[in-house]
Structure formats: C-alpha cells, structure tokens
C-alpha cells in the first residue's frame, strides 16, 4: 500500500496529498528536488509498478519483498543505493522482541521506502525532517538519515525492556524463590536475535559514512555519525547483556547447588534428631529378662526425658553449626 | 559419468542432446560462446580424458576426485579457475546433514562441473539459467553464479531442519520429561560440520566478487552479491545455532540440578512423614512395666490418632513449604 | 553552572576570577592564546548560550547534555573537536562504581569543558597545568592532555577497589564459610560496566595521538602517549579481573560440590554409626521363645557392649577413611 | 648422521651413493643444479662442519640442534632460508601424538635437511621428487615442497587416530558405562599439542607462497598452494576436535548429573518400599494391652498380606512414575 | 645504586672499574663507541642526576621509577628509545611467580639500564656480550639484544615451574585423593599474571625488529628475530597452560561429580544391606499371639540365617552391579 508520495524542493514539500508513482517518476526525472514515495507491506504488483517507472534492479526489488534479511547497503548501477534496515519493538506481555524491515531505494531524485512486519512508523520521521529544511534540501540522503535515526532511536526501548527483564531474572535467581532457567534461556535467545538485527547494521552504517552514499554530504556527515554513535552504544549494551545472561545462567547453577547443599544439611539434621530417640526406643524394646531399668518406676519417665534431651541437644548443635 | 554437455552462444543453447568432450573442446577453442560439460561422480578415466582435451592442471583434477575438501577458489595459469563448493542436505529420519561436493573448472570458453556425494542436482540450475539469456550470454561466469545460487539456496532447508530439531530439544529440556544430552551433543556436532562446509565459502565468495573471476562482469556482479548476501545470512544463522546449543547444554545442566533438588526434597518430605509414626510405634514398643498408657483402653486408638495427625501435619507443612 | 573561565597566553593565566562567556568568545577570536571555560552540570540555557557565542555544532551540544555515552573523539568543521570521556569513582560502602562524564569542545583558541555525574574534579588538573607553562603554551591540546591524564589517573583507585573486593571474595570462596555467588555476580557486573567506560577510550586516545588533534604537537606527543600507556595498563587489569571473576564463579561451583560431597559423607557415616546399634536393638526385640541370650544374666550388658563396640569400630573406620 | 647427499641437475640425480659435504659444497658453488644433503639427528660436530662449508648462520644452526621449536620460515643474508617443520605421528597403544622436527637450510644451489625425534622419513619424499623431473629442475624450492607435502600428508593419520579416540570417548560417555573424564582430558591435551605444532605452520606456509622463497616459482606455486590447502583442512579439523572435546567434557557432566538423579530416585523408591512394611511391623510391635488384632487368628496373616500389598503398590507406583 | 658503568669501543671494554655518570656522559658525547651505565633500584636522586647529564625525557624517567608497567618500546626525540621489560622468576616454595622490571634508555652513544624488583641479574648478559666483540661493536642496540635475550631466556624456568605444578595438579585431580580447586585457581592466576608480563612484549619486540630501533642493524637483526622466536614460543606455552588450567577446573568438577555419584551408591548399598535384616527383626518383634514361628525351636536360628543370607545376597548383588 502506498501511504505517502511527495515532491520536495529547496527543503520544502511542494504540495499536500500524495501523487501517483508514475507522476512522481516524471517529476524526479525532469524537475529539481526529489520525490519520497512511502509504501507499507507493498503488494508484488505495486512493487513491480514502482520498479518499472523508477528503473530499479530486479534483485533489489526481490529483496524488498522477502523478509528476515540482514541489514545492508548495496550500490546498483545508475547511482541507486538499496538499503535494508531491521526494526525492533519490545512486546512487554510476551517478553519478546518483534522485528520488522524497512527497505530503501535511494536514487538521483527519489527515495522509495517499503516497510514490513513490526517496522517503525515512518510518519514521525517524515514530519521531523520536514521541519528541518536545511537538512531536507540536501536531497535523498537526508531521508536516509531521518529513517536511520528513527530506527536506531527505536532500539532504545528494546534495550530497556530487555534490561528490565534481566534485572527481574537477577532478583529471582538470587532471592532463591525459584530457578528460572527457562526464562534466562528465552531472554538469551531474544537478546541474540536482537543482536543479529543490530550488529550487521554497524558495518552498513560505516559504509554509508565512509562510502559514496552521501552526495555532497558535508552538512549531513555529522548527523550520520551521530546515528552511528547511538548504534555503537546500543550494540555495546546488547553485547554486555549477552555476557550478563551467560553469567546469570552459571550463577543460577551455583545458587541451585548451594541451595541443594542447604536442603541436604537441613534434612540430615532433622533425620538425626528423630533417629536418636528412635534408637533409644528400640533399645528399651529389647526383650532381655534382666534389664533392671524396665522394672523401676522412674525408668519410663527418665527415658522419655533422655529422648527429649538428646533431641534438644542435637537441635542446638545443628543450630550452632548453621545446619538448621 | 557425463550427464550433459552443451554449447551456449549469445545466451542460447545451440543444440539438444550432449556432445562429446573432444568435440566440445574443439568448439570452445574455435567458436564463440562457451561449452558447459556436466559430470556426476566422474571416473578417473573420464577426468583424465577431460583434463587432456581442456588442458586442466593435474592438481585441480586430483582435488576434483578427492572428497571432504574445503570450499575454495583457485586461479591456475591460462585464466582457468578451479572452484570447490560443499553442498548440504538435511536427512530428517536420521537427523543428520549429508554433504556433497561440486568442483568447477572455469576457463575461457568452457565450464566443467563435477558432482560428488549428496550434491545438489544441477539440472534445475541449468534450466533456470537457460531461461535467462541476458545472463547466460555473459559467458562461463554466469554458470558459476547459477550453481552457487542453487548451492546456497539448498542450504536453507538444512538450516530449517536444524532449527526444528533445536526447538524440539528446547521443548524436551524445559518440559523436564527427559534430559536429552546425547541429542544436544549430536545436533551440536551436525551444526559444527555444517558450519565448516559453509564458513570457508564466505571467503571464497568474496574472492569471486572482489577478484578477477568476473570477466566483464558488471551485469553479473549484483547477482553474485545477492548470493553472497544469502550466504552471510546462512552463516549468521549457523553461528547463532551453535551458540544456542551451547547455551541449551548449560541450561540442561541447570534444569537437571533443579529437578534433583526437587526430587531430594520430595523424598525427604515423604521420609519424614513415615519416620515420625515409626518413632511413635517404636516408642510404644518399649517394655517398661509401668507405662500407664499401655493399660488404658483409650491408649491404642489415641496413639493411632496421634500417628495419623502427625503425618497429616507434616504433609500439610511440606505442602505449604512447596516441598511436595 | 560555569565554574571557571580564564584566558591563557604564553603559558600564563592572564587574570584572576572568571570571565563572561561572551567576553571569552571575543578574546579567543581577536587575541592570542586561548580561553578555557569550565562548566559543571550545565543547564540547557547555558549550553545554548555557549553554543551560540562559540559556534558549536548542535549535535555535539546535544551529546554534551545527554548521559551514558561512550567515550569518543569527533571532528567538526572549523577545526573543532568534540571529546567525551567517562569518569569512574569507586564507592566503597556500596561496592559499586559510579560513573560521570566530561565533554570537551576544543577549537582554535578555546576549550570548553562540561562535567556531569560522578565526574572527576577538574580543578586539580587546571592547577597542575597552570604550574607547567611550557605545556600550557602549546594551546588547547594541553588542556585535553591535562584532563585526560586526570581522568585516567582517577581510574587507578577504581581498579584497586575492585581488586580488594575480588581478593575478599576469593578468601570467602576458599575458606568455605559461604558461597558468595551473588557478590561474585555483582562484582562481575561492575567490572563489565567499568570496562565499557574504559575500553572505547583506547580507540579515542589512539585517534588523538595518531590523528590531527595535536596542532603542532611535537612537545605534547609523549605526554599523550604516557596517558595512553596508563590507559592500556588499566584496560589490561580490567580484562584480567573479568577473566578472574569468571574463573572464581566456576571455582565456587567446584568448592560447593566438594563441600556437598563432604557433607554427604559425614552424614552417611553418622547414620551408619547409629543404624548398626539400632539393628542390634531390633534384633533383641524379636519375640522368639527360645532366644537363649535373653534369659542369661550376661545378655543385656554384653549386647550393650556390642553396640558401643560396633559404633566405635565404625567411627574409627570412617575416621581413617577421612569421612569424618 | 648424514644419510644421503646428492647432486641434482636438469631434474635428474647425477650419481648413485652419497657425496662428502665438502665435495657437495664445492659442487653447489661451481656447478649448475643443486645439492641435497640429508641428515638424521646430526651431532654438533657434523652440523658445525656443514655450517662451515656452506656458510650457514650460527643462529639457524643452533635452532636446528634444539628441539620443541615452533614451525617457522626465516630469511638469512645470502638468500639462505631456514625452515623448521614439526612432524607428528600417532601412537595407537599409548593414545599419544609423538612429535619430531625437520630443519631445512635452503640456499642458492643447496638444500640441507636435518630430522629429529619422531620425524617423518624423508626417503619417500626424495624418491617421489626424483620421479618428477619437471619439478625437480625448479631447484631447491622443489625439495621444500616435497618435504612440506610429506609432512602435511603425515598429519592425516594423526587426525584420524584422534578422531577414532574421540568417537570411542563419545560412545563411553553416552553409554553411561563410565565417565571417562581423565581420558577426555588427555585427548584434549594431545589435540592442543598437535594444534600447536600445526597452527603456526599456516603462517609459515603463507610466507612461502607469498614471500620470496620461490625463486622463479611459477610452476611450483600451485603445488605449494595445494599443500597449504591440505594444511588448512587439517587445521580446521583440529580446531573442530578441540571444540568437540570441550563440548564432550560438558556433556559428560550433564550425563553424570542425570545418572545421579536416576540413582537417587531408584534408591529412594526401594527405601520407600521397605520402609512402609517396617513401619507396619513396628506398629504391631507396640505393647498396648487391648490391640484386638493381635489376639485374632487372622491378624498375623492379614498383616503380612498388608505388608506385601503395600510394597507391591509402591513398587507399581514407582514403576509407573519411571523411578524404577 | 650504580653497579657498573663502562665505555665500549670497537667491541672492547675500554677500562676496568666503573666511571662516574658525568664522565660517561662526556665520553658518549665526544668519543666514539658507547657507554653502558647499569643501575639497580636507583634512588630518585641518582635518576635525576642521570636524567640531567644524558638529557633524558622526564616522562621516561618517571616510568623508570614506577613499577607494574607493561613492557613497551617508546621513541623520544633526539633518537632516544625507552624500553621497559618485565622479568619473571619462579619461586618454588611459594609456587608463585615474582616479577621485576628493567628499564632501558638507549640513545646515540649510551645505554642506561635500571633494574627493579625480582629482575634478572644483568651481569651475565654483560659478560656474554663482552665475549662477542663483533656484536658489541654494533653499538647500543647490541646491549638491548643481550638484555632482551637474557630476560626471555629467564622466562623458560618459569614456564617449566608452572608446567611442573600443572602436572602435579593433574595427578591430584585424577587420583581422586583430593580436589585441589584452590590450587588450580591460584595457578590460573599466576599464569595469567605471567601472560600479562610476556604478552605485550610481543608487540614491543616486533616494534624493535620492524621499527627504526636498529641503527645499521643488519648484523643484529637475526639475533633480535631469534629472541622474538623464543618469546613467541614462551607465549604459546603460556596460552596453552591457561587453556589447560581452565579445562582442569572443569574436569575437576566432573571428577567430583563422578565421585559423589560413587559415594551415594556405596552408601545406599550398605544402607540396603542393613535395612533388610532390620525389617526382619522388626517383623518378628510383632506381638501377634499366633505367630507359629516364634514358638518353634528352629525359628530363631533360621531367622538369623535368613538375615545373614539376605545381607549376603544384597552384598553380592551390589558387588556385581559395581555399586560396591
């Protein structure tokens, strides 16, 4: 579905409402400024229409339709760049990260964007860019910056969501209430998936700032570097979270072992406390004829006292030895 | 066995049926276009015939006969390239990955392919290429692309098969029904073998796109880059699977430990529940003459009640402490 | 808050007290020497004032206001460098590392510093630099050196504090008194955070010594290299501490397991010592009519002796086998 | 001991039998072709003789006498190359890898080889080379190739021997018959030693193909590359074996834990099966006067039946819960 | 303390006894050859004297006074190089590695060495160098070689000492006599410290052979390369030891687990052997009136026989199942 299509010139949008792709292609060929065509979950027909009128490469269009690609920047002939970005959104209820994709075709005089899956909404990026004419007049590269900036900014809540979950898991592990191995494992898996969406973008972002994507570029360069910086920060945090989750898994094992030690001790102590009186009872259950204690009237109460005392002594001893 | 041998010119196959290698060699020397000779499990004689008529290097021919080689791209004198690819096929019943090999000799005017083991069938690649004359007329490099594309596409079901197995193992580990250490280990081994088949191809594919394998190449370049992209994606997934399986092995340990903790607690609780009434029974088995309870008529029923009550109290206590 | 603002020329401070930023900007444009403007937790208004009068880039000013950035060195047009440093302070009571940030704008004729969070106090750095006119007269780069030197020197007590904690944890683990998994984990987390503050600075410091930050620089170069050296040393130590803490976590597991082994053995030994006499007592509790020992007068004392002897023999045996 | 010394010219050996080193040195100085002098465990005197007549560097000669060096390629003045190779042999009885060393001095007109320890026999390499005059006439570099080829080929049986052992260990671990930690550890150690012999050779082999060791070399280059390929394959396999053995060590732990879980459950089940009848027996050992069951004639048989039934019921329950 | 100071010229020491630093500085300025000034634990005053007369940089002198630095090579203006080496000595009693430091200032016409801590004695290096005039006449670089050679040679006994300890620990772990977790941990720590002393020297040694430290150097180059080789060997061994100790720690865990399994089985077997006769005894302690066995004269002996037989049968069964 085509959601917006506008002509920008001298940093200003030339009209309200959206144009037809064919019209836009004509404008971008014969007029100054550039055209930004935005699509969401485009159908194969829409894409092949756009491919024809803008002269896009078949492979790039194929990639824009497929999903689960790595972030990348590719140059095609005719000065057309094809950029794939992976977006991420944290879903709190499911404790999962949903991924989406944004494909960009950037050529002389046009930018075509196609969103798929749980992709960031690009409308705010468009508005933000439209409010900064001095960037917008740099041409299509400014659109790439605006989208990249939004995508990377949208990584931050994902990092925070994962961080919150990690802290919750930490608390669970060390409170001893339960050993959430499954949850640690799932979090580790989410973080790894997220890392796979973010990590290759580092190389792609580098290709943008170092390579020839930026046309005149000097004004935009610091803005791309700024996005690159945020991206590095996000990457650092994810790497640290991976490391942390591996350590938690190990710590979890240690905590379980310590607790098992504890349980074994506690059980053994109680077993000893009951075993000694049981032995005494068995002892006086022997059938010897001349066990003088049995006939004495003080026999029974003193044996009961002995049992109680031995149990108390053991209990106190274990208490002191911290087994109880 | 020679399975096909055809002359291609201006993007079109020049004839039905297959030629003789000697004839093909003559054509590739004296006519425009190129020859594609396809062999499956070639005998040493067939290979030495081909070596002679096409002037291949003895070392490359030796490699084409041996198995279990790493993927590679090598340049020999006379502008001949020798490429080894490792193919993979997932066998669901055995939960194993079978490997095959495709050796390619690419020279001026000819492509010779030799398949071994569980290698991908190259016929679809040939048909697909024949249906795209604009690529086919680029010469032998187009054949390399078509085969590379097929080999890498055939990795995808392997990745999926392994993914399915990993998910099954995950379920087993966290359902607590059994601890499938052996299966995790075997999967880890399969993934490592697969990784060893795929990983060196990354460097080889890079050598193709960067190096001088592509003759005029500008049209084919994006196609090779596209294959390279898929390869990187496959490699990323395998690396993630390796990491995942290591984590599962650790998580498995933790789950086993937690379960052991549980078992020990449950057993201890039941032992306590039966030990206390046993003590009471031993107690009233003592032979003291003056144990007044023994003579009373309410003695026996009240002791039985005591036993039942103590057992119930313990059971309730353990239930509340979540040991049962 | 602006804490100091001075004009330096020929290695000497030109006046006591602090100037107005506007005045300073005028001086740095029209007079020789340079101006050093120091701010602590600057308000957005202060920063935008400074931005205007010194012509700083909006992105750099934004970064100076945000927190939790990575250390970096960036060049902006007009020969202005923007440097972010992460400072660290060890808080003994909480066994935690607090982080702060220092942002520097270094341009022709001015240095602007902004501190945030638990940042190092820069006053000593200023005094130390003022006492070395031969460095000070090298211009703004000397201020960068002085601050970098102080920041890196302030890492040393953090390393030592963590080292002390690690040694304490080692002692705890191997004394067997308790298994401080939680503390090891928290320390590991602190060390990782610290590493994330220090590690990217290595690249930034390299960019300074290799890149064009140093204007004439030859005299300052060894001083920057000296700081770089200390930084490498700190980085080495942190990396070693991380490795050590991972090893401690594993050793901790082993110690817990060994101890559990010990506990199980000890408990079993005591259980055996009491089980054997209990069996003997049960034995003579049997109701057979013709158990001759029961009638004999020596029966009872000799069975008691047998119980004591068997218990002693077991005790001695376990003692020798080191189970007790 | 000098085992062979021959003069080669135009790809052919010039004579049977072996020459004197002094004679060989004279030939290599004044005649075309080159001399190959082979020594086994040379004495210091032999080496110093050879050093003198061929003008070798004292450091290279020292290295040829010492053992336990890393593989390397070094250039000395006068166009002399000094190469150290580590050979390996798998000793099946001891499940160990024995190492040897071959030092080569390659100069204009001569090759001197010295074997030490469990080094590969070089005689087959010499024969194989003599049968390929077109390579032999390339001069001393062809000897380096022949020896390198043999050394690397001799790695293959070591890899296979280790592979066999690893598979045996796998079987042991997962059959549960015993937990061969010690054997896993020793294998891991052998593999690491082997890796240390092979890994640095990768760099050295690269130095040969890239560097100036090959004089005119174009013909030999593919042959060296072929050796390099095999070496990479061997290295890949060793790295995979190391990884595998680490995983086995972990899997071993998991298997032991699972088995312990099993043992604890089985023991507890049997304990329960015997504890319940024991409780019943104790119950009817109580001395209450009015326990009506005791006087009834059906008392005894029905209690025995109760014991048997309770034991059977428990046994069946545990069987169903898979504890037995 | 200044321990020696000599003037070398044409490869020969010019005089016995030691000169005054000021005198030495004069010689190195006005005469051919060079001066070697050796100090041990120099006082700040001695160092500042030397700094003045030889014109050393303040930062290098500061570094020479401080301790716990990383090995490094630094160039200062005036062609002066500052080198820091870390020496190591293995102390057998404490099973620890002691570290020392040697700082070298190498300038045109002079070498100044300062030893600190457990540093290698440099006297043998001086004597060895004096006995090789052809190296000594190469100037100050020969002194650097002599010292580097000695320092690296002195690493060998440390490696051997650690190797011995590791083998001892291996024996302990696999003999099952005790689980020396603490000792493994301490060894791991020592090896890591040692690695930190040796590892950065690799880069420094490379800087020497590649960089401009060697003045004319061609004769000395192989000698430096020789040292570099030994250093790489030492580094390889340390890395292997680290890896080995990590593996031992894991193997230790496995051994402890296996042993625990064993203990649990053994204990359970003995418990079963005594529990069954106890049950029998309890059985015949029941007070039923009509238990015919109790009245029979063969009752008692046959029950005793039953007890013995059941115990023996269990013992034999457990023996066969390898639980005992």
């Amino acid at each position: 579905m085509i959601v917006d299509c506008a002509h920008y010139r001298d940093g200003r949008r030339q009209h309200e409402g959206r144009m037809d792709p064919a019209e836009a292609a004509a404008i971008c060929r014969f007029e100054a400024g550039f055209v930004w065509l935005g699509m969401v979950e485009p159908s194969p027909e829409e894409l092949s229409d756009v491919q024809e009128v803008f002269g896009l490469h078949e492979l790039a269009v194929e990639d824009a339709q497929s999903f689960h690609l790595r972030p990348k920047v590719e140059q095609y002939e005719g000065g057309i760049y094809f950029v794939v970005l992976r977006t991420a959104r944290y879903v709190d209820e499911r404790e999962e990260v949903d991924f989406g994709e944004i494909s960009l075709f950037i050529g002389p005089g046009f930018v075509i964007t196609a969103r798929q899956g749980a992709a960031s909404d690009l409308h705010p990026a468009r508005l933000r860019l439209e409010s900064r004419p001095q960037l917008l007049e740099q041409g299509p590269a400014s659109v790439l910056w605006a989208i990249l900036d939004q995508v990377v900014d949208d990584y931050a809540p994902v990092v925070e969501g994962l961080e919150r979950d990690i802290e919750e898991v930490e608390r669970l592990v060390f409170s001893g209430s339960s050993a959430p191995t499954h949850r640690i494992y799932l979090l580790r898996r989410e973080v790894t998936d997220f890392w796979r969406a973010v990590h290759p973008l580092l190389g792609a972002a580098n290709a943008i700032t170092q390579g020839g994507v930026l046309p005149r570029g000097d004004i935009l360069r610091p803005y791309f570097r700024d996005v690159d910086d945020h991206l590095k920060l996000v990457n650092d945090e994810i790497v640290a979270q991976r490391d942390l989750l591996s350590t938690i898994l190990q710590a979890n094992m240690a905590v379980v072992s310590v607790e098992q030690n504890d349980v074994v001790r506690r059980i053994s102590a109680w077993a000893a406390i009951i075993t000694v009186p049981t032995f005494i009872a068995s002892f006086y259950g022997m059938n010897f004829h001349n066990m003088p204690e049995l006939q004495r009237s003080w026999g029974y109460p003193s044996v009961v006292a002995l049992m109680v005392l031995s149990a108390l002594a053991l209990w106190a001893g274990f208490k002191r030895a911290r087994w109880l």
Side-chain angles (χ1 to χ4, degrees), chain A residues 263-284:
Chain A
V263 165
V264 167
R265 279 179 179 174
R266 206 119 50 89
I267 291 166
S268 307
W270 284 114
I273 288 173
I274 202 150
T275 302
V276 167
T278 304
F279 164 67
I280 296 172
S282 298
F283 188 90
Y284 287 104

Side-chain angles (χ1 to χ4, degrees), chain A residues 203-237:
Chain A
N206 202 44
I208 292 169
T209 35
Q210 305 301 327
V213 182
L214 296 182
R216 305 173 259 170
D218 279 309
I219 284 183
L220 284 171
R221 192 152 301 234
Y223 290 87
F224 276 101
R225 199 175 49 195
D226 185 58
V227 172
D228 193 43
D229 252 26
H230 289 168
L231 192 59
K232 273 185 196 149
L233 196 62
V234 168
N235 187 57
D236 274 15
E237 305 221 29

Side-chain angles (χ1 to χ4, degrees), chain A residues 8 62 82 106 126 148 154 179 230:
Chain A
Y8 295 92
E62 258 173 41
F82 176 59
I106 301 168
R126 197 186 273 262
L148 207 52
D154 286 355
H230 289 168

Side-chain angles (χ1 to χ4, degrees), chain A residues 120-161:
Chain A
S120 308
D121 187 4
L122 294 183
H123 197 63
R126 197 186 273 262
L127 292 182
R128 204 142 26 106
L129 187 59
E130 287 178 357
S131 71
R132 305 178 89 161
Q134 85 283 15
L135 295 182
L136 190 49
E137 73 184 359
Q138 299 299 318
S142 67
V143 177
L144 175 56
W145 166 75
I147 291 174
L148 207 52
D149 192 47
Q150 169 130 9
V151 167
V152 173
D153 276 4
D154 286 355
Y155 287 157
V158 182
V159 170
E160 273 161 38

Side-chain angles (χ1 to χ4, degrees), chain A residues 23-86:
Chain A
E23 190 185 346
I27 284 177
C28 88
R29 210 157 297 144
F30 303 114
E31 292 192 35
F34 70 95
V35 154
W36 178 358
L37 170 64
M39 296 186 285
V40 172
E41 308 269 3
S43 66
E45 296 77 38
E46 284 173 326
L47 269 174
S48 77
D49 280 6
V50 166
Q51 174 185 3
E52 213 175 301
V53 296
F54 286 96
L56 307 176
H57 198 282
E58 58 163 340
L59 288 172
V61 172
E62 258 173 41
D63 276 356
Q65 270 170 295
S66 67
F67 195 55
H68 288 310
L69 287 173
R70 305 168 80 237
K72 64 177 171 182
V73 175
E74 280 178 357
Q75 184 174 6
Y76 285 93
E77 54 183 7
I80 300 180
Y81 287 88
F82 176 59
V83 180
V84 176
L85 304 174
R86 304 264 298 151

